[in-house]
Amino acid sequence: MSLPIKTASKVSEAMVWYHFVPRSSPEGAAWYEQYKASGCEDIAILFDTGVAMMRKRQVAEGKALLDKGYRQLEEAGRQHLPSSVYGVAEEGYWSGIAYYHYHVEQFEQARQALDSAQRIVNAAISEAPFLSTFATRCHDLCLHDARVSRGLRQWRDMWSFIQQAREMVRGERPLCQPSWGSIYMEDALSFFRAVEPENDVEREALGYLLDEEKSLTAFEQRALGATLIPTAIIPW
């Protein structure tokens, strides 16, 4: 029996990048079934919870959740999952551990973790082109790199990463480059334009996702925050 199509009871859930993937194609539906059945979705949620705890200054507790999730991910990996399934959860780990290293001012380790996350996104989409919206993670990773550069007082690099992320959001630079080509913001927007919302929650979420002006405004606010020198490490 196939698993149920992903549903959302609130807008933030419908805005998760893969919410609409199961309805996009038979391949998308099969991917989500495996992602959920393998436990990778629950593991990725655990990683998100760990990051949320670190944002509240519960660093040790958040790191413990990341470690717990990674042990579970290693166990899931024994199922010989495709990188398009395993990698989506693994990206959450490397993004989360990058934030941990940033929090404890281990900036070089944070950068290495962000590089790993970027490689995983490329690999997952290389294997499964229907995961084009996964590429929207990349401008966030780039902005995180800007914050790391700020921590290292590498000002030229900081501004360079911010500009690269800005160009990604504007559609002037690829979000990522899988083995078969490049994915731009327009590819993600085209995906969302093709979605038929099933309820008001999805309709509102798509309204946010497709509002390019609001997306640019939100990015510029976050980019400004990435330039500020904190007296203590602040959330990214």
Side-chain angles (χ1 to χ4, degrees):
M1 180 181 297
S2 62
L3 296 171
I5 292 297
K6 191 168 178 60
T7 59
S9 59
K10 53 187 178 181
V11 173
S12 59
E13 294 174 353
M15 290 181 67
V16 173
W17 69 266
Y18 64 89
H19 176 77
F20 297 104
V21 167
R23 299 213 303 267
S24 66
S25 65
E27 294 83 4
W31 172 84
Y32 180 64
E33 287 196 4
Q34 191 172 22
Y35 185 58
K36 185 175 181 64
S38 66
C40 283
E41 183 176 40
D42 289 336
I43 293 168
I45 291 171
L46 192 63
F47 292 147
D48 289 342
T49 303
V51 169
M53 292 181 73
M54 286 191 283
R55 286 195 177 113
K56 296 177 181 178
R57 301 298 189 272
Q58 297 173 301
V59 179
E61 296 87 345
K63 173 63 160 52
L65 277 187
L66 292 179
D67 293 341
K68 176 182 177 180
Y70 193 71
R71 290 192 296 271
Q72 293 179 8
L73 187 61
E74 289 183 316
E75 181 65 28
R78 296 190 177 96
Q79 303 174 46
H80 303 292
L81 298 170
S83 60
S84 59
V85 173
Y86 184 89
V88 166
E90 189 183 16
E91 186 275 334
Y93 170 75
W94 287 111
S95 296
I97 206 67
Y99 185 42
Y100 167 75
H101 287 306
Y102 168 82
H103 230 299
V104 298
E105 301 188 40
Q106 296 173 343
F107 298 118
E108 292 295 350
Q109 292 94 320
R111 173 146 295 151
Q112 292 169 13
L114 290 171
D115 289 345
S116 294
Q118 179 66 64
R119 286 194 296 272
I120 289 166
V121 175
N122 288 337
I125 301 176
S126 293
E127 182 178 83
F130 56 85
L131 294 180
S132 60
T133 52
F134 190 29
T136 57
R137 295 284 300 126
C138 297
H139 60 77
D140 280 334
L141 295 175
C142 198
L143 208 53
H144 295 338
D145 260 319
R147 296 182 176 97
V148 170
S149 293
R150 182 192 64 198
L152 290 167
R153 303 301 192 262
Q154 296 173 347
W155 310 119
R156 182 175 298 180
D157 288 345
M158 180 190 76
W159 288 113
S160 177
F161 280 122
I162 288 174
Q163 182 59 23
Q164 289 175 43
R166 178 179 292 116
E167 291 171 3
M168 289 179 183
V169 175
R170 288 176 175 172
E172 301 165 355
R173 174 186 291 266
L175 291 167
C176 72
Q177 295 183 299
S179 60
W180 44 263
S182 300
I183 290 184
Y184 288 82
M185 183 61 73
E186 179 58 30
D187 296 304
L189 293 175
S190 294
F191 175 94
F192 292 127
R193 290 190 195 105
V195 171
E196 289 292 337
E198 293 191 340
N199 50 46
D200 289 340
V201 168
E202 291 190 349
R203 192 170 292 106
E204 185 176 352
L206 287 168
Y208 283 118
L209 291 167
L210 290 169
D211 192 323
E212 297 179 60
E213 184 175 347
K214 285 184 178 178
S215 294
L216 283 170
T217 299
F219 169 80
E220 292 300 341
Q221 291 173 342
R222 294 175 62 228
L224 177 61
T227 68
L228 301 177
I229 302 175
T231 54
I233 291 298
I234 58 176
W236 64 17

